[in-house]
Amino acid sequence: MKQAVHFGAGNIGRGFIGALFSKSDYHVTFVDVADQIIDKLNEEKTYQVNLAQAEPESITIEHVSGVNNMKDEAGVIEAVGQATYLTTAIGPNILPRIAPLIAKAITERLQATDEKLYVIACENQIGATDILKKYIFDNLEEETKNKLDGNVYFFNSAVDRIVPIQDSSSLDVLVEPYYEWVVETTETIPPVEGMTIVEDLAPFIERKLFTVNTGHAVIAYLGYLAGKPTIDQTLADSEIEDQVRETLKETGAYLVKEYGLDEDEHLAYINKNIERFKNSYLNDGVTRVGRAPIRKLGPDDRLVRPATQAQKAGLPYTYLAKAIAAALAFDNPEDEDAVKIQAMIQENGPATVLKEISGLDADSEITQEVIRQYEALKA
């Protein structure tokens, strides 16, 4: 049977990428450090993916197993040695931690076979596979690097599926019906159900990041400040929905100008995604969606990058500045990043956060607008 190795046995891994491999007749070996999940995968060897919609629908996922990479490096190396695909869905910050083991596995694989291996990091990060590749290369001998060409391929991708936090005692996963997995390559690669191949990923990944991820974050931060528990309940507030739509019109103006997208089609894409966010069957909490604000406020992430790109293009960014301000005001005491940001603000003010985390100079127009919006929100 065809083999795939997927790093990350969480809800996204099981409910999205791993599920697509299973439906494409691959055996999926999930690699993770969570003993409970790994043990269940090896015991039960199957689980259900449930669609969050009015009419209940479940998909049975089979041909799965698990390996704990902290306890069984040899098992991971063996699985990678037999795999056609190696994918990840673990969060960009974890990529450097798994790279040494992947490098070791690739080194042993190249000594044993010349079968092709396709590596794809399925993360909410521009160029995530390029980032993973660099970390892997940092752990490879020069002799091994010279053997990679024609044997190991690295493809960037864009992924999109909402998977809320849920009961961790079961392997079953609740996901929204909609999904998109776009992979950038000019190579002919083994087909996977649900995978779309494109030659240029940039328009797809930026359209997704600056519509879906930006929109989701804006709803979460505005909803948190308004005392709303979930994403759908936040959007039931028409004033917040209007703010979200206006924010996405600002990101959309940049995308239309940068990539020549059709303006009407992109507005329809914005509206379609706002309707996705209203799915009450997901019951998605604002604190889950807003978590890890340090990463979300990064210079190349969903809030700051579209604002800086809009400014460079001479386009408006007022609503984006308010979204950044709302992220600064996200003071969830259970979120480690939020606690750090609040401590930084209390000690040195919001401009310091924007400088150190977002790469924005204190005297920049964006910083000044964000601070103005922040002070209005706090008032």
Side-chain angles (χ1 to χ4, degrees), residues 213-231 234 240 243-244 285-298 301-304 319-332 335 337-338 341-342 377:
N213 294 86
T214 302
H216 224 186
V218 175
I219 299 165
Y221 295 131
L222 292 178
Y224 179 83
L225 294 177
K228 310 288 187 181
T230 63
I231 295 297
T234 299
I240 294 179
Q243 290 184 62
V244 173
V286 296
T287 52
R288 183 201 79 84
V289 178
R291 68 186 174 184
I294 289 178
R295 175 167 60 87
K296 292 179 170 68
L297 283 167
D301 216 281
R302 64 207 71 191
L303 299 175
V304 175
Y319 284 93
L320 279 163
K322 184 171 184 176
I324 295 169
L328 292 176
F330 180 67
D331 59 358
N332 180 12
D335 189 294
D337 278 10
I341 289 175
Q342 297 314 304
L377 284 174

Side-chain angles (χ1 to χ4, degrees), residues 268-374:
Y269 179 71
I270 289 172
N271 291 329
K272 178 183 77 173
N273 280 287
I274 289 175
E275 291 305 310
R276 284 174 65 197
F277 298 144
K278 292 180 180 180
N279 186 343
S280 61
Y281 296 96
L282 289 168
N283 195 34
D284 209 359
V286 296
T287 52
R288 183 201 79 84
V289 178
R291 68 186 174 184
I294 289 178
R295 175 167 60 87
K296 292 179 170 68
L297 283 167
D300 293 319
D301 216 281
R302 64 207 71 191
L303 299 175
V304 175
R305 180 173 167 81
T308 56
Q309 294 301 102
Q311 183 194 38
K312 289 176 185 176
L315 297 167
Y317 52 84
T318 302
Y319 284 93
L320 279 163
K322 184 171 184 176
I324 295 169
L328 292 176
F330 180 67
D331 59 358
N332 180 12
E334 297 180 0
D335 189 294
E336 185 179 343
D337 278 10
V339 171
K340 288 180 181 178
I341 289 175
Q342 297 314 304
M344 292 172 69
I345 292 175
Q346 188 168 4
E347 186 173 351
N348 296 304
T352 299
V353 178
L354 294 173
K355 173 66 176 177
E356 294 186 9
I357 292 177
S358 306
L360 296 170
D361 291 333
D363 59 354
S364 75
E365 292 180 359
I366 295 177
T367 295
Q368 296 305 311
E369 179 62 20
V370 170
I371 291 176
R372 187 182 74 79
Q373 297 278 2
Y374 176 79

Side-chain angles (χ1 to χ4, degrees), residues 232-247:
D232 63 290
Q233 290 180 51
T234 299
L235 282 177
D237 184 323
S238 60
E239 184 177 340
I240 294 179
E241 180 180 346
D242 289 343
Q243 290 184 62
V244 173
R245 184 172 281 102
E246 292 303 319
T247 307

Side-chain angles (χ1 to χ4, degrees), residues 60-263:
T60 299
I61 305 302
E62 299 177 306
H63 311 302
V64 294
S65 60
V67 180
N68 187 319
N69 53 297
M70 296 296 290
K71 297 181 177 181
D72 188 8
E73 282 197 0
V76 176
I77 291 170
E78 181 182 357
V80 173
Q82 300 172 359
T84 300
Y85 281 98
L86 187 159
T87 56
T88 76
I90 54 176
N93 295 339
I94 310 298
L95 294 178
R97 301 186 198 176
I98 64 168
L101 178 54
I102 294 176
K104 189 182 295 186
I106 287 175
T107 299
E108 293 201 16
R109 177 192 173 97
L110 289 174
Q111 294 171 355
T113 181
D114 57 2
E115 292 290 322
K116 293 179 173 57
L117 174 67
Y118 304 99
V119 180
I120 308 171
C122 306
E123 313 289 349
N124 280 322
Q125 171 88 41
I126 295 173
T129 306
D130 288 341
I131 294 169
L132 176 59
K133 180 181 179 181
K134 178 185 179 302
Y135 291 135
I136 292 172
F137 270 51
D138 288 343
N139 291 274
L140 289 176
E141 299 291 337
E142 207 61 40
E143 179 184 353
T144 304
K145 293 178 187 177
N146 294 333
K147 294 179 181 178
L148 291 177
D149 191 35
N151 291 304
V152 181
Y153 297 82
F154 296 86
F155 302 140
N156 284 311
S157 77
V159 290
D160 184 8
R161 189 170 218 176
I162 299 172
V163 183
I165 287 179
Q166 47 208 280
D167 180 11
S168 60
S169 66
S170 170
L171 291 178
D172 297 347
V173 190
L174 177 72
V175 301
E176 69 164 331
Y178 176 89
Y179 68 85
E180 185 175 57
W181 184 18
V182 183
V183 173
E184 180 182 60
T185 179
T186 56
E187 302 284 339
T188 300
I189 64 176
V192 179
E193 182 178 331
M195 177 194 289
T196 300
I197 304 297
V198 299
E199 293 185 7
D200 183 11
L201 185 66
F204 291 90
I205 194 163
E206 289 215 332
R207 183 191 69 157
K208 185 263 177 176
L209 282 175
F210 300 153
T211 309
V212 180
N213 294 86
T214 302
H216 224 186
V218 175
I219 299 165
Y221 295 131
L222 292 178
Y224 179 83
L225 294 177
K228 310 288 187 181
T230 63
I231 295 297
D232 63 290
Q233 290 180 51
T234 299
L235 282 177
D237 184 323
S238 60
E239 184 177 340
I240 294 179
E241 180 180 346
D242 289 343
Q243 290 184 62
V244 173
R245 184 172 281 102
E246 292 303 319
T247 307
L248 296 183
K249 284 181 180 179
E250 288 183 347
T251 66
Y254 154 67
L255 292 168
V256 167
K257 186 170 185 177
E258 178 71 13
Y259 297 111
L261 305 181
D262 181 275
E263 192 170 352

